[in-house]
Amino acid sequence: MRRAVMISLVAGLSACGKPAVDKADGPTIPQVRTAVIGGDSEASMVVGVGTVALRREAALGFTSAGRIARITVNEGEKVRRGQVLAALDTTTVRADLARAVAERERAAAEYRRSASLMEQGWITRPRLESAKASLQAAEATVTQTRFQTTNATIVAPGNGTVLARLAEPGQVVAAGAAVLNIGEEASGYVLRVPLSDRDAARIVMGAGARVTLAPLEGVTLNGHVIELGGRADRSTGTFIAEIALPDDPRLRSGQIGDVSITASGATVTQIRAPASAIFAARAGTAFVYVVDQSRKKVRLRQVSIADTTDGGIRITGGLARGDVVATSRIDRLKDGLTIAPIGPGK
């Protein structure tokens, strides 16, 4: 009898040490907020990369050959209208002028003597006309040489900036050879953009443009098209479009900028997704959970992303307008998980 009681006691204690069986139903279905993918119809854009330049840039040189005596400016310096920028050694041109003046005086004396002889009947009229022609030629030579003497200096045509210094003092240059490149500030800055023939055909004069320059720390400048090339460049096959830029003291010739030009005609739909729906973004790609509304399940999908705007992240591939995506508990979801949608896609 005592042995039976002991066995019953041990059995009872063993039963008390076992855990209770969980009789709860299956796992709880998570509630997840959702959003419907939207899009905006926008004018299609032509994008490109261009170079900033002053609209009017001039190559300045001397009207006669000679040795450069001095250059008074360097690249990047500001110049004012009428300022002397460079000068030739005028020893040669002064000698040429003196020789031309002497020849003119000789021709004038010869003409006067011929006229006197003509009145006395000693020479014929053709002889007088020949003397007159020689005098006129001598006067033209004096005018030309004096012009060369006067223009043995380079003078700034207007207020501007020295863009390039192409020669140095002591160098002998030919007539018309470029010595300095000057950009006129009054002409304003433009962005010159090479475009393909298809893109050029979609642009019209006055079309708006947004220009972003790295030296301006990402600031976007609003401009418009003021000139379109009438002929393609022979070497590249591209047409040059000029975008007028607003006044900004930070602009410099040679800066590189990205531009988006509003094209005429067709519009495009920009697809955007909420930032909270995007995860694991890397190198222009990311992932979202798309909600299968009929089965109440989420499906993992890779998408292509672009820039971020006030309306969300721009999607360039992987989603369509009207798709429903999860926007909460993203870190707790997995492909194929059943959810209880909360929001527009429920």
Side-chain angles (χ1 to χ4, degrees):
M1 182 68 178
R2 180 179 296 177
R3 180 180 177 85
V5 171
M6 290 296 295
I7 292 173
S8 298
L9 181 61
V10 171
L13 291 173
S14 299
C16 292
K18 291 182 178 179
V21 176
D22 187 2
K23 297 183 179 180
D25 295 333
T28 303
I29 297 175
Q31 292 184 328
V32 177
R33 295 188 180 278
T34 61
V36 178
I37 297 298
D40 299 325
S41 294
E42 297 179 354
S44 90
M45 307 295 287
V46 171
V47 297
V49 177
T51 305
V52 175
L54 284 163
R55 191 179 185 193
R56 287 197 294 272
E57 298 179 357
L60 305 181
F62 299 104
T63 59
S64 60
R67 184 177 65 85
I68 299 176
R70 66 182 187 279
I71 298 177
T72 62
V73 292
N74 294 310
E75 292 185 7
E77 289 187 13
K78 301 291 185 180
V79 297
R80 63 185 185 280
R81 179 185 296 274
Q83 178 180 343
V84 175
L85 309 178
L88 286 177
D89 182 342
T90 58
T91 302
T92 301
V93 291
R94 285 201 306 268
D96 290 341
L97 178 60
R99 184 165 49 251
V101 170
E103 177 60 23
R104 184 186 62 180
E105 292 176 352
R106 186 203 63 77
E110 178 64 24
Y111 176 71
R112 289 193 298 269
R113 185 164 49 252
S114 297
S116 176
L117 293 174
M118 177 67 183
E119 291 177 357
Q120 299 175 26
W122 291 102
I123 62 172
T124 62
R125 180 166 294 279
R127 174 75 178 273
L128 177 64
E129 291 177 350
S130 176
K132 182 178 180 181
S134 297
L135 174 59
Q136 291 174 337
E139 289 176 342
T141 301
V142 170
T143 301
Q144 178 185 8
T145 309
R146 183 172 287 125
F147 175 81
Q148 292 175 347
T149 303
T150 305
N151 289 275
T153 58
I154 296 176
V155 177
N159 296 337
T161 303
V162 179
L163 303 179
R165 175 169 163 163
L166 307 174
E168 295 298 329
Q171 184 174 338
V172 176
V173 294
V179 175
L180 296 168
N181 281 345
I182 303 296
E184 295 184 30
E185 291 183 349
S187 64
Y189 282 97
V190 297
L191 186 77
R192 293 195 173 102
V193 187
L195 299 175
S196 66
D197 52 355
R198 291 187 178 182
D199 285 342
R202 299 167 58 200
I203 302 299
V204 297
M205 294 291 291
R210 297 194 301 270
V211 178
T212 303
L213 300 173
L216 272 61
E217 301 177 352
V219 174
T220 298
L221 303 177
N222 294 320
H224 61 279
V225 178
I226 59 173
E227 187 174 325
L228 287 172
R231 186 181 67 178
D233 184 275
R234 295 182 184 275
S235 59
T236 64
T238 57
F239 293 81
I240 301 298
E242 287 193 359
I243 313 299
L245 299 177
D247 291 335
D248 193 303
R250 296 172 294 177
L251 290 176
R252 296 290 186 275
S253 286
Q255 292 173 334
I256 305 299
D258 298 317
V259 61
S260 297
I261 308 171
T262 303
S264 60
T267 60
V268 294
T269 299
Q270 298 288 351
I271 304 298
R272 294 184 176 86
S276 57
I278 304 294
F279 66 97
R282 182 179 181 182
T285 62
F287 291 89
V288 298
Y289 283 109
V290 179
V291 179
D292 183 340
Q293 298 185 70
S294 61
R295 302 177 62 187
K296 307 300 182 186
K297 293 179 179 294
V298 293
R299 297 297 180 187
L300 183 66
R301 185 181 298 179
Q302 187 177 33
V303 296
S304 300
I305 61 175
D307 55 304
T308 301
T309 65
D310 293 339
I313 298 176
R314 187 160 63 89
I315 305 296
T316 58
L319 287 177
R321 192 171 186 173
D323 285 344
V324 179
V325 295
T327 60
S328 67
R329 300 194 178 198
I330 299 299
D331 57 336
R332 301 182 184 180
L333 301 180
K334 63 181 180 179
D335 189 35
L337 181 66
T338 301
I339 65 168
I342 301 175
K346 64 182 179 180

